[in-house]
């Protein structure tokens, strides 16, 4: 696995094997997708039956409202990442992925807006994180949509890689 620094020694991002040649990391890839109006329109069209049937998303009544919501949220997320990096408060920004925290899942985290999620793994020491990806979350659980389910799979693969390689901070990550 390869990783790229996105906020000096505090935040790294996963580079998936299929993106290694171009050096595209997941944090940047997700932000680019979420800023792509054509992608968002297609996403809405492909998933409007889920969006319309989700009571938590009842405020979204049109494709334009969906696009505007995502564009606003991605702008807010980018700003929040900058603020938390500057203030060294990623610990407050990333919340636990699961409501029930166990030893097995305590390092799995998320940064979220109403529909956008950035998924990350907290390294054992200090406030250091690896972003593994992100998704537009329109279902109640990650397992109920292929995009979020894939993100959960990726999180667990990276978590296993971290355990197998005894990675506990950025220095040990860079040494892999």
């Amino acid at each position: 696995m390869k990783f790229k620094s996105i906020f000096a020694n505090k935040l790294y991002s996963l580079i998936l094997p299929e993106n290694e040649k171009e050096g595209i990391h997941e944090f940047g890839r997700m932000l680019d997708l979420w800023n792509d109006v054509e992608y968002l329109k297609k996403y809405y069209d492909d998933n409007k039956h889920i969006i319309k049937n989700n009571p938590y998303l009842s405020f979204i009544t049109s494709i334009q409202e969906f696009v505007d919501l995502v564009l606003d949220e991605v702008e807010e997320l980018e700003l929040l990442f900058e603020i938390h990096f500057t203030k060294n408060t990623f610990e407050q920004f990333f919340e636990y992925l699961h409501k029930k925290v166990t030893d097995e899942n305590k390092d799995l985290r998320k940064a979220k807006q109403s529909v956008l999620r950035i998924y990350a793994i907290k390294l054992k020491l200090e406030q250091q994180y690896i972003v593994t990806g992100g998704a537009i979350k329109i279902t109640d659980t990650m397992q109920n949509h292929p995009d979020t389910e894939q993100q959960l799979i990726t999180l667990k693969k990276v978590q296993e890689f971290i355990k197998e390689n005894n990675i506990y901070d950025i220095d040990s990550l860079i040494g892999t």
Side-chain angles (χ1 to χ4, degrees), residues 57-89:
L57 300 177
S58 62
F59 61 93
I60 300 172
T61 59
S62 70
I63 193 168
Q64 191 59 51
E65 285 180 357
F66 176 77
V67 169
D68 290 344
L69 172 68
V70 173
L71 292 174
D72 288 347
E73 286 192 8
V74 74
E75 185 178 330
E76 177 74 12
L77 265 177
E78 289 176 293
L79 178 63
L80 287 170
F81 269 96
E82 290 286 340
I83 290 169
H84 286 283
F85 171 71
T86 303
K87 292 182 175 184
N88 198 27
T89 55

Side-chain angles (χ1 to χ4, degrees), residues 84-119:
H84 286 283
F85 171 71
T86 303
K87 292 182 175 184
N88 198 27
T89 55
F90 278 135
E91 189 73 26
Q92 295 168 5
F93 185 48
F94 284 104
E95 60 186 68
Y96 290 110
L97 180 63
H98 301 290
K99 289 178 182 161
K100 183 177 180 187
V101 179
T102 65
D103 282 343
E104 183 70 22
N105 69 24
K106 69 181 177 188
D107 298 329
L108 304 180
R109 306 294 175 100
K110 65 184 171 192
K112 69 177 193 170
Q113 296 290 310
S114 63
V115 295
L116 296 184
R117 301 290 188 275
I118 297 282
Y119 299 106

Side-chain angles (χ1 to χ4, degrees), residues 15-73:
I15 300 174
L16 292 172
E18 60 267 25
N19 296 325
E20 282 182 16
K21 193 173 188 178
E22 299 84 14
I24 298 169
H25 58 86
E26 285 302 283
F27 183 79
R29 190 179 74 78
M30 296 315 309
L31 295 180
D32 287 347
L33 273 179
W34 297 338
N35 277 301
D36 182 339
V37 173
E38 292 308 311
Y39 168 81
L40 296 175
K41 287 179 179 178
K42 181 174 181 347
Y43 186 93
Y44 179 85
D45 281 340
D46 292 346
N47 294 282
K48 64 183 162 195
H49 61 287
I50 297 171
I51 295 168
K52 288 181 178 188
N53 290 319
N54 183 334
Y56 295 105
L57 300 177
S58 62
F59 61 93
I60 300 172
T61 59
S62 70
I63 193 168
Q64 191 59 51
E65 285 180 357
F66 176 77
V67 169
D68 290 344
L69 172 68
V70 173
L71 292 174
D72 288 347
E73 286 192 8

